[in-house]
Amino acid sequence: MNRSYIGGDWVEGKSVLKNLNPSDINDCVGEFECIDQSQTNEAIQVASDATTDWQEIGIHRRAEILDSIGSKILERKDELGTLLSREEGKTLPEGLGEVERAGHIFKFFAGEAVRISGSSMDSVRYGVDVEISREPLGLVGIITPWNFPIAIPAWKIAPALAYGNTVVFKPAGLVPASAHALTEIISESGLPSGVFNLVMGSGSEVGAAIVESPLISAVTFTGSVETGRDVLVKTAERQAKVQLEMGGKNPLVILDDADLDIAVECALNGAFYSTGQRCTASSRLIVTSGIHDHFVTRLVERMEKMKVDHALEPGTEMGPVVDETQLKQDLEYLEIGRSEGAEIVSGGIQLERKTKGYYLAPTLFTETSNNMRINQEEIFGPIATVLKVKDYEEALSAANDTSFGLSAGICTNSLKYSRHFRHKSEAGMVMVNLPTAGVDYHVPFGGRRNSSFGPREQGQAAAQFYTATKTAYISS
Ligand code: NAD
């Protein structure tokens, strides 16, 4: 049974939900107990009360604890990766890779905990010194989605703790087992009780309690644009610090001079790995006319060889869609695309496998225009579109013609175009001859427009969100 963890105890919930394996819905990964709003408020109180203890424990001990969490995650990589793939549906290599990344994130922020620094300078008033320092915020509320069940929690929990904050963490309901396993590791790390709390339950009850509590100084949220906007409005009302990471509709531009092998692999990886359920997925492939037909033929050949199966089956390249609701949404977008006049050149069908799961063939639309809904709305599934354009200028303009701005890529051998694209792309992250997905943990992550709001996540940039700046003036 997966339970919430509050004030150092595993706490019984008010209702029980089943956690089903999307690769095999007859496999129940486990059950988890949902707590209610008043239990969430208790967790918030406990975490708020623990802030002084955690700040006073000192940076060396904080670093040791974070490092030990990272080591434990890496030691348990095989077990955690298998669990993650079983409950979320990404392939085992993807699950293992994600767990490894979570371990490295904790280790990175263990180092950052002892590198918290400020600066000092002369005041414009002679004889006065100015010292600028970073201080913890207090209690941070963390709300995460289902698609990276351990990496996203890690990249929020680790910096929150490293910079001296206490935490109330609410994972998505589809991935309670990974959250529980991560919490188990954190609970055994020597962290004082109350510093880290796991609250499992619905967004409308548990999530809302976090967003609305005056005891929570800052809320970091990753999820859909719709929920993110709600979080933004509610945190703005009480002037809490907020950071939002939301959707994407990421373009991958392929120019006539691109290396075709690289372009096809970038598109395949970016669009279909993790079943296309990545905020950074290359869901719009913008291809210039000279290479268009070769590219589509080669990509389709590669897509049709892709092994779509149970996430834990050896050799599987793409697992199932995460659940029935998401599958329904994907199927609706197939209809929307068809009704808009786009053509499906590969996929577009549900697949049956030995086990009953939510399998959808990787799907490619051609004959699209950029104003179609399938080119403007985030689908969040294994569905990509191809937009044929005349030249680089038209490709750049289409790439930027979106309400999102998370990641953008270009495949080209031209220094001139790759440089121009890096400067003129209106996305937060730009990839050259690489898929739009796949980012490092030690550098800033985030986007523009509807994709993100607030300071960047990860790397040293995380300090901007998880700390408050203090300016002190000292005269002798
Ligand atoms: P979601 O918005 O449905 O849920 C995200 C989290 O918010 C969940 O924990 C949910 O329980 C909680 N929540 C729901 N209603 C709430 C409320 N009223 N108040 C507070 N919390 C509430 O998103 P999802 O379906 O879990 O995840 C998919 C989305 O996440 C996609 O849009 C994807 O693009 C986005 N995503 C973005 C990034 C990024 O870094 N930009 C990364 C991964 C996923």
Side-chain angles (χ1 to χ4, degrees):
M1 182 66 74
N2 296 157
R3 288 197 166 146
S4 292
Y5 181 74
I6 301 173
D9 294 317
W10 295 99
V11 172
E12 207 174 308
K14 301 283 171 174
S15 58
V16 175
L17 287 177
K18 279 191 164 35
N19 178 13
L20 299 182
N21 176 350
S23 299
D24 176 4
I25 57 174
N26 293 316
D27 173 29
C28 179
V29 181
E31 290 186 332
F32 69 101
E33 294 182 3
C34 299
I35 63 166
D36 64 12
Q37 194 149 8
S38 76
Q39 289 174 297
T40 311
N41 285 330
E42 278 166 37
I44 292 170
Q45 186 63 57
V46 163
S48 173
D49 292 344
T51 50
T52 308
D53 281 355
W54 185 233
Q55 285 165 19
E56 290 180 357
I57 207 166
I59 55 171
H60 179 69
R61 185 74 190 117
R62 289 213 293 263
E64 276 184 341
I65 289 173
L66 288 170
D67 189 65
S68 77
I69 295 170
S71 298
K72 198 48 146 209
I73 292 172
L74 295 174
E75 262 170 45
R76 288 178 58 182
K77 181 176 118 177
D78 290 349
E79 170 218 337
L80 295 178
T82 306
L83 179 68
L84 193 163
S85 293
R86 195 170 152 221
E87 81 169 345
E88 199 271 350
K90 62 181 65 175
T91 66
L92 185 57
E94 288 169 338
L96 295 172
E98 185 179 333
V99 171
E100 197 169 321
R101 182 170 172 199
H104 291 149
I105 290 168
F106 272 95
K107 287 187 166 286
F108 174 82
F109 282 106
E112 289 303 284
V114 291
R115 277 192 288 267
I116 302 168
S117 60
S119 57
S120 61
M121 59 191 74
D122 287 350
S123 164
V124 293
R125 286 165 282 169
Y126 184 74
V128 174
D129 295 333
V130 182
E131 186 191 82
I132 301 153
S133 57
R134 289 193 176 275
E135 294 185 348
L137 299 171
L139 165 55
V140 175
I142 295 178
I143 301 175
T144 57
W146 48 262
N147 66 330
F148 282 92
I150 194 161
I152 293 180
W155 84 49
K156 293 178 188 292
I157 295 166
L161 295 176
Y163 294 115
N165 305 288
T166 60
V167 167
V168 171
F169 161 49
K170 185 227 164 300
L174 286 174
V175 288
S178 298
H180 188 273
L182 177 61
T183 302
E184 199 174 72
I185 290 173
I186 295 174
S187 75
E188 291 162 359
S189 65
L191 205 69
S193 65
V195 172
F196 173 83
N197 304 272
L198 167 71
V199 287
M200 293 210 265
S202 72
S204 57
E205 215 170 338
V206 173
I210 291 176
V211 172
E212 286 164 23
S213 172
L215 294 178
I216 294 192
S217 314
V219 176
T220 173
F221 167 90
T222 299
S224 61
V225 175
E226 199 188 358
T227 316
R229 287 222 173 104
D230 188 51
V231 171
L232 178 60
V233 169
K234 290 187 174 138
T235 46
E237 270 169 12
R238 61 182 187 84
Q239 285 185 254
K241 200 167 182 182
V242 67
Q243 174 183 60
L244 309 172
E245 290 298 345
M246 301 171 286
K249 194 71 189 172
N250 311 291
L252 176 68
V253 169
I254 291 144
L255 297 186
D256 286 353
D257 72 352
D259 179 312
L260 193 55
D261 291 337
I262 291 176
V264 169
E265 284 312 308
C266 285
L268 192 88
N269 171 321
F272 304 118
Y273 283 16
S274 297
T275 320
Q277 298 173 146
R278 293 187 285 189
C279 50
T280 48
S282 314
S283 48
R284 289 189 297 142
L285 308 172
I286 302 173
V287 190
T288 48
S289 51
I291 198 171
H292 176 274
D293 294 356
H294 294 301
F295 171 76
V296 170
T297 306
R298 286 278 305 280
L299 180 59
V300 167
E301 270 169 24
R302 189 64 187 81
M303 285 168 67
E304 296 194 340
K305 283 195 198 125
M306 234 184 154
K307 182 174 171 185
V308 181
D309 211 326
H310 194 298
L312 298 179
E313 176 91 11
T316 295
E317 287 176 282
M318 190 179 101
V321 170
V322 74
D323 74 347
E324 198 171 354
T325 309
Q326 188 63 46
L327 178 65
K328 198 162 154 261
Q329 179 172 312
D330 294 348
L331 294 171
E332 276 167 17
Y333 272 107
L334 295 182
E335 278 318 302
I336 290 168
R338 284 187 184 106
S339 69
E340 289 179 311
E343 193 186 320
I344 293 181
V345 286
S346 184
I349 48 164
Q350 275 182 260
L351 301 172
E352 286 193 6
R353 291 295 178 257
K354 275 202 302 280
T355 49
K356 193 165 154 37
Y358 306 114
Y359 297 105
L360 186 63
T363 299
L364 193 66
F365 277 109
T366 58
E367 309 305 321
T368 77
S369 58
N370 206 41
N371 60 1
M372 288 179 178
R373 285 180 62 191
I374 53 167
N375 271 328
Q376 289 294 332
E377 296 172 16
E378 184 183 50
I379 301 176
F380 220 57
I383 301 169
T385 63
V386 175
L387 178 68
K388 187 174 176 177
V389 291
K390 163 167 108 263
D391 53 19
Y392 168 74
E393 284 71 25
E394 196 182 329
L396 175 67
S397 154
N400 286 334
D401 180 16
T402 166
S403 62
F404 294 105
L406 188 57
S407 181
I410 187 164
C411 291
T412 178
N413 280 319
S414 155
L415 179 62
K416 177 178 130 188
Y417 289 132
S418 65
R419 181 181 180 279
H420 193 266
F421 189 78
R422 258 176 33 236
H423 288 280
K424 297 295 176 187
S425 162
E426 291 163 15
M429 297 176 291
V430 178
M431 315 287 180
V432 178
N433 293 319
L434 288 166
T436 55
V439 293
D440 291 357
Y441 57 84
H442 66 305
V443 291
F445 174 91
R448 300 180 186 176
R449 300 178 177 160
N450 287 347
S451 292
S452 299
F453 184 87
R456 290 287 185 258
E457 299 205 80
Q458 303 203 66
Q460 291 177 335
Q464 288 165 24
F465 179 71
Y466 292 98
T467 62
T469 300
K470 180 172 278 174
T471 313
Y473 294 82
I474 309 118
S475 172
S476 53

